[in-house]
């Protein structure tokens, strides 16, 4: 017989509710107990951590274990290492004494005044460069320039513009800005031979001085709309229906991208010229061009295609497109570098400078600072001083000022009359010395030493030895550094230049003339002509 399972008793609804509540109470109690235990565990852990000694953690500048090598047994002990940061290969790390400070003062300015190289060397390289790129007010120190008894009138008198700027190179406390103003005068070469308005040229000169440590964007924009440039490269003749390509071509070729690099086409030049239309000025007889302005009726509003981009571009768009072009960064870095260092940078340096230029917002100062800190600036290669740099350095070394307009003719004869570059490409910095310019450099030295020439019958020593004579001549120029070859030639000259027999009076005068000759020769030597 088959047995049936016992019959289950049906649970009442009230019993079900009571059982559920009992389960919920038990679960809540369990959770509370677990939470309380977890809190107790955390508190115990905190107490244990406070009692525990700190564990040594690897720091980048602390002891480290080198990685095992397959060719060597495993390393089991820490090796001591220096805590000094790794040397930056783009920053000069050698001795920074008076010789290096003198190099810096010549490349970033117009040479040292007596004792200045020693003072700058005491600052150290980084501080010396920082003071150059963060200049204070451009205080002019020294005698006011003049021609005879007449004060300079650079806006009115021929040649006084050259003298005025040469004086600033000599007397300004902001040497780097003056040097960069010269760099950009050469970069955006504008000549008064074509502008024929000295006030416009002087205003452009102040533009270079004011913007030389800012962004290249701001500088190029200011130059593009500068009255002297608008006259020089026919911006005021560039109008809708009759475009003039002069500024567009030079802007791309000489100012931003470079020629023969494949950076732009003839079509880009033509389209950029149309985008640059709209500028005009009024001509006043006896005064020249005035009232420079943008006239929308002369602007070509139609679409242009430049570097493959299309739009109703204007002059500001041309500036932007040129500076954003991938070829611009290398052009800028290499051109600015060449103003300070005679040999091109290596690939790593160029890449680092290009990156810094872009990430800094195309900052001129950022690149100048990097160049002035770079080891190549302090290398063995020397640069020929341009005539203006050479002349200003002579006057700074002697602490004298401008008292004659002879500096204008001598500077022009040496190949550099300020405000008159030979063409839109500027001066050829590789052709400063030749048979036609060397004689004028000799005249520049003659003008510098003339006020301090030893005169006959003024009681000069009749017993000065050749060695003392050379030492005195070197002190006259604040003891410039001379190569052994140059010093040897000057020593032989000093020992052999006097006549064999002289009277007592002639002996003194002859030694005075020997001193004059030595002073002149020291400045005119290859060491004096280069930095």
């Amino acid at each position: 017989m088959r047995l049936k399972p016992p019959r289950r008793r049906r649970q009442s609804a009230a019993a079900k509710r009571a059982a559920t509540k009992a389960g919920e109470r038990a679960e809540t109690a369990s959770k509370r107990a677990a939470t309380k235990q977890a809190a107790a565990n955390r508190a115990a852990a905190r107490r244990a951590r406070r009692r525990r000694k700190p564990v040594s953690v690897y720091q980048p500048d602390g002891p480290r274990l080198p990685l095992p090598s397959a060719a060597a047994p495993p390393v089991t002990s820490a090796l001591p290492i220096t805590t000094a940061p790794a040397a930056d290969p783009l920053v000069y790390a050698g001795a920074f004494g008076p010789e290096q400070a003198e190099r810096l003062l010549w490349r970033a300015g117009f040479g040292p005044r007596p004792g200045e190289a020693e003072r700058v060397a005491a600052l150290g390289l980084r501080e010396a460069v920082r003071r150059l790129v963060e200049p204070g007010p451009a205080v002019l120190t020294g005698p006011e320039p003049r021609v005879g008894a007449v004060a300079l009138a650079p806006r009115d008198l021929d040649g006084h513009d050259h003298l005025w700027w040469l004086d600033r190179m000599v007397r300004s406390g902001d040497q780097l800005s003056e040097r960069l103003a010269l760099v950009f005068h050469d970069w955006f070469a504008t000549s008064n031979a074509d502008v024929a308005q000295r006030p416009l040229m002087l205003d452009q000169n102040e533009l270079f001085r004011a913007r030389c440590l800012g962004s290249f964007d701001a500088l190029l924009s200011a130059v593009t709309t500068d009255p002297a440039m608008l006259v020089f490269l026919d911006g005021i003749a560039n109008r809708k229906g009759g475009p003039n390509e002069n500024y567009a071509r030079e802007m791309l070729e000489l100012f931003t991208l470079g020629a023969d690099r494949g950076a732009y086409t003839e079509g880009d030049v033509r389209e950029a010229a149309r985008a640059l239309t709209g500028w005009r000025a009024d001509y006043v007889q006896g005064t020249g061009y005035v009232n420079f302005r943008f006239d929308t009726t002369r602007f070509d509003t139609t679409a242009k295609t430049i570097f493959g981009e299309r739009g109703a571009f204007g002059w500001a768009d041309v500036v932007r497109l040129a500076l954003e072009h991938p070829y611009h960064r290398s052009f800028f870095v290499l051109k600015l570098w060449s103003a300070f260092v005679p040999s091109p940078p290596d690939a790593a340096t160029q890449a680092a400078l290009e990156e810094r230029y872009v990430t800094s917002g195309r900052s001129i100062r950022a690149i100048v600072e990097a160049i002035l800190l770079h080891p190549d600036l302090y290398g063995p290669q020397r640069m020929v001083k341009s005539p203006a740099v050479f002349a200003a350095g002579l006057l700074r070394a002697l602490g004298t000022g401008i008292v004659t307009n002879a500096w204008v003719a001598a500077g022009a004869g040496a190949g550099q009359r300020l405000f008159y570059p030979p063409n839109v490409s500027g001066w050829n910095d590789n052709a400063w010395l030749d048979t036609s310019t060397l004689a004028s450099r000799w005249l520049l030295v003659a003008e510098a030493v003339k006020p301090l020439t030893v005169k006959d019958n003024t009681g000069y020593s009749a017993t000065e030895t050749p060695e003392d004579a050379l030492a005195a001549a070197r002190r006259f120029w604040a003891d410039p550094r001379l190569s052994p070859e140059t010093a040897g030639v000057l020593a032989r000259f000093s020992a052999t230049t006097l006549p064999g027999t002289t009277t007592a009076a002639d002996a003194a005068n002859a030694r005075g003339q020997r001193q004059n000759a030595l002073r002149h020769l020291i400045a005119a030597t290859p060491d004096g002509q280069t930095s």
Side-chain angles (χ1 to χ4, degrees):
M1 183 177 75
R2 187 177 179 184
L3 298 176
K4 294 182 180 179
R7 189 174 181 180
R8 289 181 180 176
R9 181 182 292 176
R10 177 176 292 179
Q11 194 174 27
S12 69
K16 287 182 179 180
R17 287 196 295 272
T20 299
K21 288 181 180 180
E24 289 175 350
R25 285 194 295 272
E27 183 178 357
T28 299
S30 176
K31 287 182 178 179
R32 286 176 179 171
T35 301
K36 186 175 181 180
Q37 185 60 47
N41 292 342
R42 288 195 296 272
R46 284 197 296 270
R47 289 192 296 272
R49 283 197 295 269
R50 283 196 290 269
R51 291 193 298 269
R52 190 183 306 152
K53 293 183 179 180
V55 177
S56 177
V57 178
Y58 167 73
Q59 298 295 330
D61 58 350
R64 70 185 76 182
L65 293 176
L67 294 175
S69 167
V75 177
T76 58
S77 61
L79 299 179
I81 67 165
T82 178
T83 58
D88 185 344
L90 301 183
V91 176
Y92 174 69
F96 187 71
E99 182 177 356
Q100 291 74 30
E102 184 177 306
R103 167 67 63 81
L104 175 64
L105 292 170
W106 273 114
R107 298 282 178 88
F110 301 89
R113 293 186 182 277
E116 188 174 9
E118 290 74 15
R119 292 192 296 272
V120 169
L123 296 173
L125 174 62
R126 287 187 180 274
E127 177 62 14
V129 171
R130 186 195 68 78
R131 294 192 183 194
L132 285 168
V133 300
E134 296 179 5
V139 178
L140 302 181
T141 304
E144 292 281 345
R146 56 188 172 84
V147 176
V150 178
L152 297 188
R155 291 179 174 263
D156 301 315
L157 298 180
D158 183 54
H160 282 215
D161 49 355
H162 179 101
L163 299 175
W164 173 84
W165 194 4
L166 180 61
D167 173 70
R168 288 193 63 96
M169 295 174 183
V170 174
R171 296 200 296 139
S172 176
D174 183 2
Q175 286 282 285
L176 180 59
S177 291
E178 289 302 325
R179 186 60 181 265
L180 286 172
L182 182 60
V183 168
F184 288 121
H185 178 39
D186 190 21
W187 191 310
F188 298 103
T190 306
S191 175
N192 196 45
D194 296 288
V195 177
Q197 288 182 242
R198 278 184 291 272
L200 298 187
M201 296 296 297
L202 291 167
D203 290 346
Q204 185 191 72
N205 180 259
E206 182 53 39
L207 182 160
F208 294 144
R209 187 174 295 104
R211 297 187 179 274
C212 65
L213 288 169
S215 74
F216 193 70
D217 303 54
L219 178 60
L220 182 60
S221 295
V223 169
T224 300
T225 61
D226 172 62
M229 183 60 80
L230 288 171
V231 174
F232 182 64
L233 287 180
D234 302 305
I236 54 176
N238 185 19
R239 62 187 184 277
K240 178 176 62 177
N244 185 298
E245 298 176 4
N246 284 349
Y247 184 75
R249 183 174 303 280
E250 309 308 352
M251 178 187 180
L252 301 184
E253 177 180 335
L254 299 175
F255 304 163
T256 60
L257 300 179
D260 304 322
R261 305 177 72 203
Y264 61 90
T265 67
E266 284 297 306
D268 292 323
V269 173
R270 289 191 292 270
E271 295 290 87
R274 292 200 301 120
L276 290 161
T277 55
W279 293 97
R280 68 181 303 173
D282 301 325
Y283 186 80
V284 177
Q285 190 66 35
T287 299
Y289 287 102
V290 297
N291 193 24
F292 289 83
R293 62 199 185 278
F294 188 82
D295 185 343
T296 56
T297 66
R298 293 164 60 95
F299 173 62
D300 187 336
T301 59
T302 60
K304 302 98 178 170
T305 302
I306 304 173
F307 308 141
E309 293 191 35
R310 188 162 179 80
F313 298 135
W315 70 266
D317 297 300
V318 181
V319 170
R320 174 182 59 80
L321 291 167
L323 297 183
E324 291 176 353
H325 194 290
Y327 276 72
H328 169 66
R329 64 187 68 173
S330 58
F331 172 86
F332 176 86
V333 162
L334 293 174
K335 189 173 179 72
L336 189 59
W337 173 276
S338 70
F340 296 94
V341 184
S343 56
D346 58 38
T349 295
Q350 181 179 336
L353 292 177
E354 288 183 29
E355 180 183 11
R356 183 169 187 175
Y357 179 56
V358 173
T359 57
S360 67
R362 291 187 282 269
S363 165
I364 302 169
R365 170 190 158 168
I367 305 309
V368 170
E369 182 177 28
I371 294 172
L372 297 183
L373 290 170
H374 198 277
D376 287 4
L377 190 122
Y378 304 94
Q381 287 189 303
R382 297 177 69 87
M383 296 182 75
V384 176
K385 300 168 187 172
S386 79
V389 173
F390 180 56
L394 295 173
L395 291 168
R396 283 178 61 80
L398 297 178
T400 53
I402 294 170
V403 297
T404 172
N405 61 3
W407 293 100
V408 181
Q416 190 173 38
R417 179 171 173 179
L418 300 172
F419 300 102
Y420 290 84
N423 52 59
V424 72
S425 298
W427 288 283
N428 183 355
D429 294 329
N430 295 317
W432 285 127
L433 293 177
D434 57 32
T435 54
S436 64
T437 61
L438 196 56
S440 290
R441 283 180 174 256
W442 187 266
L443 293 177
L444 288 171
V445 178
E447 286 302 325
V449 301
K450 184 186 296 183
L452 303 172
T453 297
V454 176
K455 304 294 193 301
D456 284 348
N457 304 317
T458 55
Y460 197 82
S461 171
T463 60
E464 184 180 59
T465 66
E467 295 78 15
D468 289 342
L470 180 54
R474 294 182 73 159
R475 286 195 301 273
F476 178 83
W477 290 111
D479 197 23
R481 285 153 188 82
L482 301 176
S483 68
E485 295 80 5
T486 297
V489 170
L490 291 171
R492 289 193 294 274
F493 172 84
S494 185
T496 60
T497 188
L498 295 183
T501 59
T502 60
T503 66
D506 288 342
N509 290 338
R511 283 167 170 76
Q513 295 307 310
R514 177 178 64 184
Q515 181 62 205
N516 290 334
L518 285 169
R519 293 173 180 180
H520 198 126
L521 288 170
I522 286 174
T525 60
D527 295 330
Q529 303 278 356
T530 59
S531 66

